[in-house]
Amino acid sequence: RLDEPRRVGGRAAEVLGAPRVVEGAAVFDGAHDGIFVPDIPIAGARRWTIEVLFQPAEGGGEAQRFVHLEDTQGWRVLIETRLNGRGGWWLDTHVRKGDADRGLTLIDPQRVHPTDRWYWAALRYDGKTLTHFVNGVEERAGAVEFGPLANGRVSLGVRQNRVYWFKGAIREVRFTRAALPPEKLQRVR
């Protein structure tokens, strides 16, 4: 839960800017607010699922990185939004092995969702296939060899190099060391 930005998942966190807490969620301003947690809960896992309860706000940048895992080897996992400037967004997810050209991006600009509402996004890796979901509904999948991640850190509300700031709110992030089936994924009803 992100109801205390300076302490996330029992770990002391570095806070950039001044994310506010509103109704149990960290609210990011899209320009200065971010949270860095010095641990990757799925480090070493060959299969995993990341779920995040978030609300993208209208008026943010076109491309926003709101969950970024990066290990000490430079391997990374990103969960992002793309805004169309007309009250809609779509999910963009990405994994990459360091600076190599080996990775995978999942994106479908035809899967537009309204901004300013709550959603559960999930990114799942089963050891062979990366799949992302919005409210438990699969939107994109692709084959990729990836991981396991070593230890590193997680940033919330911004990419780790402090670009592509997120405007909106994050209430909860869940890390599971297994590839959850769709029926077990969180969803806003």
Side-chain angles (χ1 to χ4, degrees), residues 25-76:
V27 178
F28 300 86
D29 69 358
H32 307 97
D33 298 340
I35 300 171
F36 286 74
V37 182
D39 187 35
I40 295 178
I42 56 171
R46 297 196 180 280
R47 292 167 184 77
W48 45 263
T49 305
I50 303 166
E51 298 173 284
V52 57
L53 178 58
F54 75 111
Q55 183 184 63
E58 183 61 25
E62 177 189 352
Q64 302 178 64
R65 279 63 164 166
F66 65 102
V67 178
H68 179 180
L69 289 68
E70 188 160 335
D71 73 7
T72 55
Q73 313 302 314
W75 290 32
R76 58 188 158 229

Side-chain angles (χ1 to χ4, degrees), residues 5 20 29 61 65 71 91 114 140 158 167 173 179:
R20 299 174 295 119
D29 69 358
R65 279 63 164 166
D71 73 7
L91 195 61
R140 294 288 296 172
V158 65
K167 183 175 182 180
V173 183

